[in-house]
Amino acid sequence: TVRFRLARAGRVQLAVYDLRGRRVESLVDGERSAGEQTVLLSGDDLAPGVYHLKITTADGVAATRFVRVR
């Protein structure tokens, strides 16, 4: 489960990248309301390994973190 908080409503993109920087899955691409958000990352379509999550909001704020898929 991926959790994040939005200060205000707007367009959000949340994607999964491999360690070479290739996007392998898009989790969110659209409008979201302000507040706490929860997205399921099942990992069923991903090989075991470490992946990079990147979230970008409409106002250009970007954040990243790593996740391990087993």
Side-chain angles (χ1 to χ4, degrees):
T1 302
V2 178
R3 291 184 178 92
F4 57 95
R5 178 180 301 276
L6 297 174
R8 59 183 155 271
R11 184 169 181 84
V12 175
Q13 293 178 315
L14 175 62
V16 180
Y17 293 82
D18 65 16
L19 293 181
R20 291 185 178 185
R22 296 178 294 208
R23 183 158 67 175
V24 295
E25 189 170 336
S26 178
L27 300 176
V28 175
D29 188 6
E31 296 292 319
R32 289 287 178 133
S33 59
E36 187 75 24
Q37 306 289 320
T38 303
V39 178
L40 178 63
L41 171 60
S42 68
D44 292 342
D45 296 334
L46 300 175
V50 176
Y51 292 89
H52 181 196
L53 297 178
K54 180 178 178 184
I55 185 169
T56 307
T57 61
D59 57 2
V61 174
T64 62
R65 78 175 185 189
F66 290 92
V67 63
R68 176 164 292 183
V69 176
R70 296 173 192 233

